[in-house]
Amino acid sequence: MAITAPESTATVTLTIDGHEVTAPEGATIWQAATAAGIDIPVLCHDERFDPVGVCRMCVVDVGAPAFAASCVRACEDGMQVKTSTPELERSRAMLTKLLVSDQPPRERDPKQTTTADNELIALAERFGLAPDGTALPQASGRGVDLSSPVIAVDHDACILCDRCVRACDDIQGNDVIGRSGKGYDTHIAFDLSDPMGASSCVSCGECVAACPTGALTNKPINNIPIRPRTELDAVDTVCPYCGVGCALTYYVDREKGAIAYAEGREQPGSHGRLCVKGRYGWDYAASPQRLVVPLIRREESYPKGALSADVRGDMAADGESNDHGTASNGDPSRKHKGGKRGRKPGGLVDYAEVLPHFREATWEEALDVVARRLTEIYTAGGPGAIAGFGSAKCSNEEAYLFQKLIRTGFHTNNVDHCTRLCHASSVSALFEGIGSGAVSTTFGDIKNAGVAIVTGSNSTANHPVASTFFKQARRNGTTIIYVDPRADKMADHADIYCQLKPGTDVAFYNGVMHEIIRLGLTDDEFIRARTSNFEALKKTVADYPPERAEQITGVPADTIRRVARAWGGAKAGIIFWGMGISQHTTGTDNARCLIALCAITGNVGKPGSGLHPLRGQNNVQGASDMGLIPMFYPDYKKADDPAVRARFEQAWGTADLDPNKGLTVTEIIGSALKGGVRGMYMLGENPFLSDPNINKVRKALAKLEFLVVQDIFLTETAEFADVILPASSYLEKDGTFTNTDRRVQLGRKVLDSPGQARVDWEVVQDVANRIGLDWHYETPRQVFDEMVTVIGSYQNLSYDNLGSTGKLYPNPDPARSDGTVVMFTEKFNTNDGLAHLVPAEWLPAKELPDERYPYVLNTGRMLEHWHTGSMTRRSYALDAIAPRAQVYIHPSDAAELGLEDGDMARVSSRRGSIELATKVSHREARGNCFIPFHFREAAANLLTIDEIDPFGKIPEFKFCAVRIERADG
Ligand code: SF4
Ligand code: SF4
């Protein structure tokens, strides 16, 4: 292993067990020995934490009167070290014996089925001390805590090594665990000695991964026992949820055909960390509700419309709970069973209600219908009558093939995906400003930043592992500025928190730039040599002195000045942003300001500086790179450029690609409403819940002449389908995925698909061939090899050189390098190589609060759930932790409205009304409320408006006017 601790290039030479070893100055003996292949046992030590040397297991003989703890003792020149002598072994054996004798009986609680990878037991076995059940009597004194849905705590098995404390504090930055009690009663404690399940623990499981005994263990999920690692298959892959793309290993019980548990895996971007979704949220794939056979809508179920009574609005809520109809997994002849009609909705499509409207079909029949109907509509209505929504959850290969199918099969650029709903405005501004839509540096580069602005990004919930790097950087001296209308957890970790009014970002950043220019904190040489249009920007921001910015944003002028000084005075700074910036009708203007702020201070193109729009889905970066967007071919080549079109016509062997940009997600819905788009292929998207103003979406979907939905579950959108194709989950296929850092990683097949469900790229190919495209891809690798020929940024990458940790693109030499961290060191990707500064004037949001609708609604995600909830609400752990929809309201607003925690509230906008539980939250500002959009039974997007940003065409999910009242009022 590499010795990483010291930064010095000086070395020392010492002798360890008779071998001469050279180590960097400052390295510990344990590091030097390990690098030389010499094993020294440890219990309290883990290289990811600061060493504490409390367990004394790693002591070595350095010729001094007392043994030295090798995990903390630094190497010295000429030092003579012995790591294994009879005395040392006796000391370690005695320590182990004492610790083991104080362990509880291993089988006392079946839920404690821990890893048999218990390091203490392994040591006991090494010293011939395997536990014989004769634990000391006091070994059962401190008890167990089973209050967390996912983690079992056995205080009696704890050896107080503090690895969990350091994992929680130093690695995840959650600061939940400490110590409580005295003497023998000393124990680890969650918050103020609360039960773990009632504490502020976010169930990241880092403490479990760190625990060397059975004190903190994963509980079995869905009764799949956690057996020793040696009895399970290890599959290295990548987390299927967010754009952070954490590397992980699934341990698979092949006998049961199921995952037993997951562990983080070392990779330069995630360093083995996971959040609750990655560590515990994978069992959705084994849900008995998986679609396992193709389905065709029955004749009697036309005309089309929503099939669920609650969506149709004709259901009597009778208060019964919904136990969800199920499909017997893996059996194509299964019968769907479930509850009665008219029950109160429980959060997922009621299969018993919807499935009778479909009949089972063979793949041949279903694919024939899909090809025939889409071809008929295309023939009658032309290219404009067809559209496709692809998925940012599918692999790069699948995204590439899907857009190729729509473009070459139906000669239209009407192909889009959920990037339109997350960072379309950021991409639009980035292309205009610097000629590239991808991040200019990685999130891990924050370690080199003097200052970082995290803005419009609830990162602890949306990009949890990236946020651990932010928190860690702050501990190491980086100043964190957090700018967001919600004082979410990142605010707790910020040096400066700016709670601006929603929709006032342009005024805030213009105010900051005004002050930076006034104080002379600009990088004039960078502005001169590497930017254009500075004078126009300067003129615009001159109208935003901090006092005026304060009037608009509500952020005190002095705080704006403080931000300007912190940003302008730092040696390097990065801006991370999320959908709080992009999901506005001014989203492109917001991002333009961030680009300008970086550029005028020279904060692009050097370590610790740059622009990082945190990408949402696991493969939204890749899907965009692959051209799953209506205005770009793969690699962001303009769809309406004749030269580009000619190039792709040649590459794809076709003669009639669409010369015009296609329609975006929201435009396709609008066109369908007017009868323009009449046939759609929906691959893994659920616009019924994810798009704004879903009453409008519902009408559009109902109006389509033909809709094929390819998905793993029966979604709300599938209720409008003519044909439903059962797809493979992420865990059931090979493919590549590109994370927010531009890291291209291999996702590997973990499980077989249930029933007749099929891998998505194969289904897309079957449709392609039925409409006459003559495709012959045999593997995802073959698709990747073709992709690379048309996507310059992925040049040199291949399945053979991505390795277990993936590679960043661009990457001139993947054999030697992880790829490019910092982009634009010399010039930008614009035509003239300069950053184009685009001034923006502040504009108010489209729908402001008034007397009837006095609150501002903000929508977004929560840590435990993902998008439309189709995966996470079928995950035992995630649903157990966060089972219900809530509206977050400031305590004073709640008091005025007569609402207390848990009371049912009715939230209404001009477009609809939903009922959900109240969450009184000090993190909201007065007059604002927040609703996560994952919950079908209280769909936030029933309330949102479909006004869009004119450039990125992204809807204004973050701002609309609502009324709140007691639901029983
Ligand atoms: S699960 Fe995570 S947040 Fe909870 S105590 Fe363990 S390390 Fe801390
Ligand atoms: S941070 Fe994102 S990629 Fe990492 S484990 Fe969590 S959801 Fe998965």
Side-chain angles (χ1 to χ4, degrees):
M1 91 171 232
I3 302 176
T4 54
E7 300 220 327
S8 154
T9 51
T11 56
V12 293
T13 301
L14 65 163
T15 304
I16 305 179
D17 292 345
H19 304 283
E20 190 173 281
V21 173
T22 300
E25 197 173 54
T28 65
I29 295 171
W30 191 87
Q31 288 176 321
T34 306
I38 298 167
D39 174 48
I40 304 176
V42 287
L43 275 178
C44 73
H45 186 58
D46 182 313
E47 272 298 86
R48 298 193 301 154
F49 320 140
D50 287 340
V52 289
V54 297
C55 76
R56 307 292 295 169
M57 192 60 68
C58 72
V59 290
V60 292
D61 185 346
V62 293
F67 293 148
S70 65
C71 70
V72 288
R73 182 70 179 266
C75 297
E76 292 167 23
D77 228 2
M79 191 180 240
Q80 299 279 333
V81 180
K82 291 178 192 155
T83 69
S84 180
T85 65
E87 292 78 16
L88 285 168
E89 291 301 297
R90 261 199 305 281
S91 160
R92 290 172 187 150
M94 178 55 71
L95 271 174
T96 307
K97 189 171 181 182
L98 288 170
L99 291 170
V100 169
S101 67
D102 198 25
Q103 288 291 294
R106 304 261 307 131
E107 307 306 331
R108 74 174 176 188
D109 186 320
K111 290 211 174 81
Q112 308 286 309
T113 334
T114 177
T115 72
D117 313 304
N118 183 317
E119 293 173 37
L120 180 58
I121 302 301
L123 269 178
E125 284 170 358
R126 169 177 165 162
F127 294 116
L129 299 166
D132 54 6
T134 54
L136 293 176
Q138 66 266 39
S140 306
R142 288 172 300 197
V144 299
D145 172 0
L146 300 177
S147 58
S148 157
V150 286
I151 297 170
V153 187
D154 185 344
H155 289 290
D156 294 326
C158 174
I159 58 170
L160 295 175
C161 68
D162 278 354
R163 264 163 72 162
C164 62
V165 178
R166 286 173 284 155
C168 188
D169 292 4
D170 302 356
I171 303 295
Q172 291 274 346
N174 291 329
D175 303 335
V176 176
I177 317 183
R179 281 196 189 196
S180 186
K182 280 186 178 172
Y184 192 78
D185 285 335
T186 308
H187 58 276
I188 57 162
F190 304 94
D191 293 341
L192 301 173
S193 265
D194 295 323
M196 188 182 203
S199 72
S200 60
C201 166
V202 291
S203 307
C204 68
E206 194 74 49
C207 53
V208 177
C211 178
T213 74
L216 289 160
T217 55
N218 291 323
K219 285 182 174 176
I221 289 181
N222 293 338
N223 296 320
I224 305 298
I226 298 177
R227 304 197 347 237
R229 216 171 285 201
T230 48
E231 295 172 20
L232 301 169
D233 254 11
V235 184
D236 288 349
T237 182
V238 186
C239 173
Y241 286 107
C242 87
V244 177
C246 299
L248 50 68
T249 300
Y250 290 115
Y251 289 90
V252 185
D253 188 328
R254 291 290 172 208
E255 269 171 35
K256 303 217 177 286
I259 295 170
Y261 67 101
E263 268 189 2
R265 189 163 58 79
E266 178 52 33
Q267 178 249 67
S270 56
H271 287 321
R273 302 170 202 184
L274 294 174
C275 76
V276 62
K277 291 191 288 292
R279 201 178 298 275
Y280 300 113
W282 29 261
D283 53 319
Y284 67 90
S287 164
Q289 290 202 328
R290 283 289 300 276
L291 293 170
V292 292
V293 66
L295 300 166
I296 293 180
R297 198 179 194 93
R298 292 183 188 278
E299 284 305 319
E300 56 271 29
S301 294
Y302 288 90
K304 286 197 288 181
L307 299 171
S308 296
D310 60 317
V311 176
R312 291 197 309 263
D314 59 0
M315 188 193 64
D318 61 9
E320 283 186 42
S321 67
N322 186 350
D323 61 0
H324 314 311
T326 58
S328 63
N329 198 13
D331 177 5
S333 64
R334 81 253 180 278
K335 293 278 177 279
H336 298 292
K337 58 189 171 81
K340 321 176 275 190
R341 297 177 71 87
R343 292 170 310 162
K344 191 163 185 150
L348 295 167
V349 171
D350 186 339
Y351 279 42
E353 189 174 40
V354 174
L355 279 176
H357 294 275
F358 293 87
R359 65 175 174 83
E360 294 181 358
T362 63
W363 270 103
E364 289 296 305
E365 183 190 8
L367 290 169
D368 282 348
V369 172
V370 171
R372 179 172 53 77
R373 292 293 293 123
L374 289 176
T375 305
E376 283 169 1
I377 292 170
Y378 169 73
T379 307
I386 299 289
F389 284 181
S391 171
K393 292 229 105 25
C394 285
S395 65
N396 285 324
E397 293 77 359
E398 289 165 341
Y400 175 79
L401 289 186
F402 189 74
Q403 61 83 35
K404 186 174 170 183
L405 165 72
I406 299 293
R407 288 187 155 121
T408 61
F410 301 104
H411 312 289
T412 175
N413 287 320
N414 289 347
V415 62
D416 207 353
H417 74 293
C418 68
T419 190
R420 193 68 39 219
L421 309 177
C422 67
H423 268 303
S425 48
S426 310
V427 170
S428 157
L430 284 165
F431 261 98
E432 171 192 74
I434 61 174
S436 164
V439 298
S440 82
T441 193
T442 64
F443 58 79
D445 194 25
I446 192 173
K447 70 174 188 282
N448 298 311
V451 60
I453 294 178
V454 181
T455 179
S457 164
N458 182 1
S459 343
T460 50
N462 293 344
H463 301 89
V465 167
S467 80
T468 67
F469 287 82
F470 303 165
K471 293 183 249 181
Q472 237 175 4
R474 179 166 179 247
R475 286 165 184 245
N476 293 329
T478 303
T479 299
I480 302 285
I481 300 167
Y482 185 53
V483 186
D484 198 286
R486 301 187 67 223
D488 210 78
K489 283 188 181 166
M490 266 318 293
D492 303 345
H493 297 275
D495 297 277
I496 307 174
Y497 170 50
C498 305
Q499 188 163 34
L500 80 179
K501 292 180 192 163
T504 62
D505 306 78
V506 167
F508 177 81
Y509 289 105
N510 279 353
V512 173
M513 285 191 278
H514 172 104
E515 193 63 5
I516 282 174
I517 292 170
R518 189 186 71 81
L519 293 171
L521 294 173
T522 47
D523 183 336
D524 296 339
E525 178 51 26
F526 192 93
I527 292 171
R528 190 196 59 73
R530 300 205 49 192
T531 72
S532 67
N533 210 27
F534 175 67
E535 287 307 318
L537 178 84
K538 187 175 170 184
K539 188 160 174 272
T540 298
V541 302
D543 288 340
Y544 291 83
E547 284 71 18
R548 179 171 177 232
E550 175 180 340
Q551 280 173 0
I552 299 170
T553 64
V555 179
D558 278 350
T559 306
I560 294 171
R561 290 194 187 94
R562 219 176 128 211
V563 170
R565 282 194 301 274
W567 179 263
K571 65 177 171 39
I574 308 183
I575 301 181
F576 299 95
W577 74 94
M579 280 153 250
I581 288 292
S582 59
Q583 288 179 338
H584 285 285
T585 45
T586 56
T588 303
D589 280 346
N590 293 348
R592 283 170 173 156
C593 289
L594 304 182
I595 295 165
L597 179 58
C598 275
I600 66 171
T601 48
N603 274 315
V604 196
K606 62 185 181 188
S609 75
L611 295 152
H612 193 126
L614 288 153
R615 309 308 298 259
Q617 301 253 22
N618 61 333
N619 200 37
V620 69
Q621 181 65 54
S624 304
D625 297 343
M626 296 304 119
L628 204 60
I629 27 185
M631 57 287 283
F632 293 123
Y633 284 106
D635 214 20
Y636 305 97
K637 301 297 180 227
K638 287 184 179 166
D640 53 352
D641 179 334
V644 169
R645 194 171 74 249
R647 189 180 150 223
F648 278 94
E649 283 177 346
Q650 192 187 18
W652 290 341
T654 185
D656 39 15
L657 291 177
D658 185 352
N660 305 308
K661 291 178 188 169
L663 301 177
T664 63
V665 162
T666 40
E667 289 170 339
I668 287 168
I669 294 295
S671 170
L673 262 180
K674 293 184 205 135
V677 168
R678 290 155 47 195
M680 278 197 73
Y681 191 162
M682 196 82 70
L683 172 55
E685 288 270 296
N686 188 12
F688 189 89
L689 280 191
S690 60
D691 287 21
N693 192 0
I694 54 182
N695 271 330
K696 187 168 161 186
V697 177
R698 165 184 158 173
K699 284 181 198 144
L701 292 175
K703 194 146 188 215
L704 287 171
E705 282 174 31
F706 183 76
L707 171 65
V708 50
V709 170
Q710 186 170 320
D711 216 312
I712 62 174
F713 295 114
L714 197 56
T715 61
E716 291 75 9
T717 301
E719 292 188 29
F720 298 84
D722 296 85
V723 175
I724 301 173
L725 303 175
S728 48
S729 82
Y730 175 89
L731 297 165
E732 292 148 17
K733 56 195 173 189
D734 294 327
T736 59
F737 298 82
T738 306
N739 81 351
T740 188
D741 276 348
R742 300 177 260 106
R743 179 172 299 279
V744 185
Q745 302 183 85
L746 278 169
R748 293 178 181 82
K749 179 177 170 179
V750 183
L751 301 168
D752 289 332
S753 296
Q756 296 179 30
R758 291 184 60 202
V759 175
D760 294 83
W761 70 265
E762 288 181 359
V763 177
V764 171
Q765 171 156 270
D766 279 358
V767 173
N769 284 335
R770 275 175 168 75
I771 63 166
L773 286 179
D774 198 24
W775 288 1
H776 299 283
Y777 302 102
E778 286 173 9
T779 58
R781 171 191 285 259
Q782 218 181 345
V783 181
F784 188 93
D785 290 345
E786 177 182 312
M787 274 157 44
V788 173
T789 63
V790 293
I791 301 180
S793 332
Y794 282 55
Q795 221 175 11
N796 308 315
L797 298 180
S798 74
Y799 267 47
D800 292 326
N801 62 30
L802 289 178
S804 63
T805 57
K807 301 281 180 196
L808 297 175
Y809 79 77
N811 196 329
D813 187 1
R816 286 191 187 75
S817 155
D818 188 48
T820 307
V821 173
V822 178
M823 305 270 291
F824 316 122
T825 49
E826 305 288 328
K827 61 186 178 68
F828 295 98
N829 275 6
T830 48
N831 291 342
D832 55 10
L834 301 176
H836 300 158
L837 306 180
V838 183
E841 294 283 2
W842 173 72
L843 293 169
K846 293 289 180 191
E847 185 182 70
L848 296 173
D850 58 18
E851 226 166 79
R852 256 186 95 204
Y853 299 98
Y855 289 88
V856 174
L857 169 66
N858 184 357
T859 65
R861 292 189 212 129
M862 53 197 298
L863 169 65
E864 294 83 4
H865 284 296
W866 191 255
H867 281 232
T868 63
S870 58
M871 292 156 67
T872 51
R873 299 199 76 190
R874 289 177 174 92
S875 151
Y876 158 74
L878 303 175
D879 198 46
I881 298 169
R884 62 181 185 161
Q886 293 175 315
V887 53
Y888 294 65
I889 308 173
H890 186 276
S892 303
D893 288 335
E896 264 181 29
L897 292 161
L899 288 166
E900 292 182 3
D901 238 3
D903 287 351
M904 289 303 286
R906 184 179 306 113
V907 185
S908 311
S909 75
R910 289 179 174 83
R911 291 151 295 280
S913 182
I914 59 175
E915 291 183 8
L916 68 178
T918 300
K919 172 84 182 162
V920 178
S921 159
H922 68 277
R923 297 190 183 277
E924 313 312 311
R926 283 212 70 174
N928 297 336
C929 66
F930 174 75
I931 301 179
F933 69 96
H934 316 292
F935 297 88
R936 160 206 170 95
E937 64 275 32
N941 281 325
L942 206 55
L943 310 177
T944 49
I945 51 171
D946 52 357
E947 290 281 349
I948 56 173
D949 171 270
F951 308 98
K953 310 280 175 77
I954 192 169
E956 186 144 62
F957 288 109
K958 298 292 185 194
F959 200 121
C960 74
V962 294
R963 179 173 65 243
I964 308 173
E965 56 209 331
R966 282 188 71 87
D968 54 5

